[in-house]
Amino acid sequence: MTSIVLISHSEKIAEGTKDLLEQMAQGVSVIAVGGNDGEIGTSFETISEVLNDLEEDAICFFDIGSSEMNLDMAIEMYAGHYRIEKVDAPIVEGSFIASVSLSTGQSMDEAIASVRDTF
């Protein structure tokens, strides 16, 4: 299957979105990366570590500013064997559509298309 990775400046946003997705799209792995050392912000190192620890393909969502920049750099430097796609859509709504799509048996490409068709 495909994981959903959430990159947010806020730990609460990332964890709250993860909670929502896990309740609404059971069986889809959701990884929340929020905040930076207990503060608002993002960390390239943390994002890169999460991507390098993946055990399957992943669709990544981000919130604002440096979360996208750090995600882009982490994807560019990724040396693993899994497919990682960044999707530019609202983090809650986009990841919700993708996770529900995956939970109903859609492929990674179909889930991404569902998100892009909506936004």
Side-chain angles (χ1 to χ4, degrees):
M1 192 175 269
T2 302
S3 291
I4 300 290
V5 178
L6 306 168
I7 311 294
S8 175
H9 280 72
S10 167
E11 183 177 0
K12 290 180 180 180
I13 290 173
E15 290 296 332
T17 304
K18 177 181 177 176
D19 289 345
L20 173 69
L21 300 183
E22 288 179 340
Q23 287 183 33
M24 301 300 291
Q26 295 179 0
V28 176
S29 173
V30 180
I31 302 162
V33 183
N36 185 15
D37 291 328
E39 300 291 326
I40 297 294
T42 62
S43 162
F44 161 76
E45 290 81 13
T46 302
I47 297 167
S48 186
E49 183 178 305
V50 165
L51 296 186
N52 285 315
D53 288 344
L54 286 170
E55 296 181 3
E56 60 189 353
D57 296 338
I59 303 172
C60 302
F61 295 87
F62 58 94
D63 57 8
I64 56 174
S66 65
S67 62
E68 181 179 20
M69 179 187 69
N70 285 328
L71 177 59
D72 284 341
M73 288 189 309
I75 291 172
E76 185 176 314
M77 304 208 45
Y78 176 69
H81 302 289
Y82 298 105
R83 180 177 166 199
I84 300 173
E85 295 289 337
K86 177 187 85 171
V87 177
D88 188 4
I91 190 169
V92 176
E93 296 89 340
S95 63
F96 175 80
I97 291 167
S99 63
V100 170
S101 297
L102 293 169
S103 74
T104 61
Q106 289 188 10
S107 70
M108 181 179 188
D109 288 325
E110 290 169 326
I112 292 169
S114 293
V115 175
R116 289 187 174 146
D117 288 347
T118 303
F119 300 100

